[in-house]
Amino acid sequence: MSSVVIVGTQWGDEGKGKITDFLAEKSDVITRYQGGNNAGHTVKIADKEYKLHLIPSGIFYPDKMCVLGNGMVIDLEALISELDYLEENGVTVKNLIISDRAHLIMPYHKVLDELDEERRDQEKIGTTKKGIGPCYMDKAARKGIRVCDLLEPEILKKKIENSLKEKNQLLDRVYDSKAFDPDKMVADITRYAERIKPFIGDSSYYINTALENGEKLLFEGAQGTLLDLDHGTYPFVTSSNPVAGGVCIGAGIGPTNITNVLGVLKAYSTRVGDGPFPSELKDDIGDKIREAGGEFGTTTGRPRRIGWLDLVIARYAKRVSGLDQIALTLLDVLSGFEKLKLCVAYKYKGETLKEFPASLEVLSKCEPVLEELPGWEEDITGIESYDDLPTNAKNYLKRIEEICSVPISVISVGPGRDQTKIIKDIF
Ligand code: GDP
Ligand code: IMO
Ligand code: MG
């Protein structure tokens, strides 16, 4: 039995898609366990770049099974566009299971996401406006519509009509916005359902059977530790649990089945959306990293905020997900800097903080304690192995390992598959 969780250790966009695609070659089943199409995972194969939002990044191997777990929230229209996009690009989607227990993002969730953001004024979350929060709200309120409802037309119709009774009132009276037509919504959802019906199944049963048969499982996190609803920079978070523990709930496996947690750590920090960011760089260095790393949102195109690598956060991610290993990505982006800095602690009101604070009031006043290291000039995108790295790059990695007490098992020096170097086996 072998099951590896790939988890984002920062604010998302750490390169989880790339690492998942790479490790998918050696696995049998690749599962997304939370989130929805707020995620944007990039996979580069030869010269072609693919962007995935809902479908696991194992889809490029036709013999692997890809699973959309029960913890996900699924926008059927977005899912169908993604299936079309993949097929138009020569990727056959056959081995796919969509959990019958996953919740559906309905058109009103997207509208409410947008309207709620508008109403927040100064306190905007900066969501992707994909309806993620409102959908998880309905799930928690026990008002959600699930994938299994698509298989029972009468129940689906009733649920949509019931839901719209409330949502249309809310849209009208609270937001002064226009109502949805129930008949049209039932017709649209029924049409989408036809397309995805062949993929609907009991995903937890499938995954657990695969485990019993000794297959290798990979769980692909979306978002990252600091966007986790419980452990992140609340309220500037998403509405699901990207941390490794989210796998048990969102895929329906027991905690004892997880054998390895691999944290994906970008060599510097980025954040899309609002909220405090202690190691943020608002200067030329930040701009240079943004350009070199192409740091613009995969889902929304927004420029990502940039900062030095924050190891207070990395150590926190180790704690809340129990990281066994790190995959250090985008190391190549740091070539050409005379000096690099690592944020090793925070200063708050004269005190040194080593642990990540809960209060955003505190976090927003934290100054980073920076440790300076010499950089390297060399282009490292073509290295064959870890040994080829310049000494200063190796020292940068060593210092991260020392401070986090987690070994770096994978390094990534470019977006391509052949730019991933394994230092220590994952499976
Ligand atoms: P994810 O959301 O964690 O899957 O990450 P994204 O795909 O949103 O963002 C990561 C970006 O970095 C993508 O454009 C990747 O193609 C790219 N990328 C991943 N690993 C590397 C790397 O090691 N070096 C460089 N230069 N780009 C990388
Ligand atoms: P991947 O999987 C980066 C951010 C949004 C916003 C907050 C809440 O590609 O790493 P939501 O739409 O989820 O309610 O927005 O979370 N966010 C992400 N940031 N990468 C992502 O996914 C993200 N998914 C959501 O920008 O700040
Ligand atoms: Mg992304």
Side-chain angles (χ1 to χ4, degrees), residues 1-3 26-29 206-217 257 427:
M1 180 190 82
S2 195
S3 51
K26 282 199 174 169
S27 41
D28 302 294
V29 185
Y206 181 88
I207 293 169
N208 281 279
T209 307
L211 271 170
E212 279 165 22
N213 293 337
E215 293 186 19
K216 290 184 173 141
L217 308 192
N257 286 317
F427 276 111

Side-chain angles (χ1 to χ4, degrees), residues 33 66 120 125 136 145 168 221 238 261 328 361 363 387:
Y33 56 93
C66 284
R120 280 179 185 258
I125 309 284
Y136 278 116
I145 302 180
N168 279 342
T238 192
V261 181
L328 202 283
E361 193 43 37
L363 188 66
D387 295 336

Side-chain angles (χ1 to χ4, degrees), residues 14-15 88 355 419:
E14 298 91 349
E88 279 158 21
E355 298 305 324
Q419 289 170 307

Side-chain angles (χ1 to χ4, degrees), residues 19 21 26 43 48 55 64 77 100 108 135 164 198 206 219 235 249 264 296 306 311 329-330 337 348 358 415:
I19 298 296
D21 166 69
K26 282 199 174 169
V43 175
K48 213 165 158 73
I55 296 180
K64 318 286 180 187
E77 208 178 344
D100 47 11
Y108 45 80
C135 182
L164 279 184
Y206 181 88
F219 295 94
I249 311 284
V264 185
F296 298 88
I306 310 287
L311 296 179
T329 54
L330 292 112
F337 289 92
Y348 174 70

Side-chain angles (χ1 to χ4, degrees), residues 254-275:
T256 47
N257 286 317
I258 296 173
T259 50
N260 190 356
V261 181
L262 178 67
V264 185
L265 181 69
K266 191 181 279 204
Y268 47 91
S269 304
T270 60
R271 173 163 208 178
V272 220
D274 299 308

Side-chain angles (χ1 to χ4, degrees), residues 41-62:
H41 295 182
T42 317
V43 175
K44 195 167 174 214
I45 302 169
D47 286 337
K48 213 165 158 73
E49 195 175 73
Y50 299 89
K51 297 202 184 285
L52 298 169
H53 302 283
L54 285 162
I55 296 180
S57 304
I59 200 69
F60 304 102
Y61 296 93

Side-chain angles (χ1 to χ4, degrees), residues 6-8 11-20 38-44 49-52 57 220-224 264 266 268 270 272 292-299 304 328-334 381 411-416 419-420:
I6 294 178
V7 63
W11 274 289
D13 305 324
E14 298 91 349
K16 299 175 293 292
K18 182 204 150 147
I19 298 296
T20 302
N38 47 348
H41 295 182
T42 317
V43 175
K44 195 167 174 214
E49 195 175 73
Y50 299 89
K51 297 202 184 285
L52 298 169
S57 304
E220 178 181 14
Q223 289 81 53
V264 185
K266 191 181 279 204
Y268 47 91
T270 60
V272 220
E295 294 292 357
F296 298 88
T298 310
T299 299
R304 294 176 183 146
L328 202 283
T329 54
L330 292 112
L331 187 61
D332 53 300
V333 174
L334 295 185
T381 53
I411 53 168
S412 172
V413 292
Q419 289 170 307
T420 312

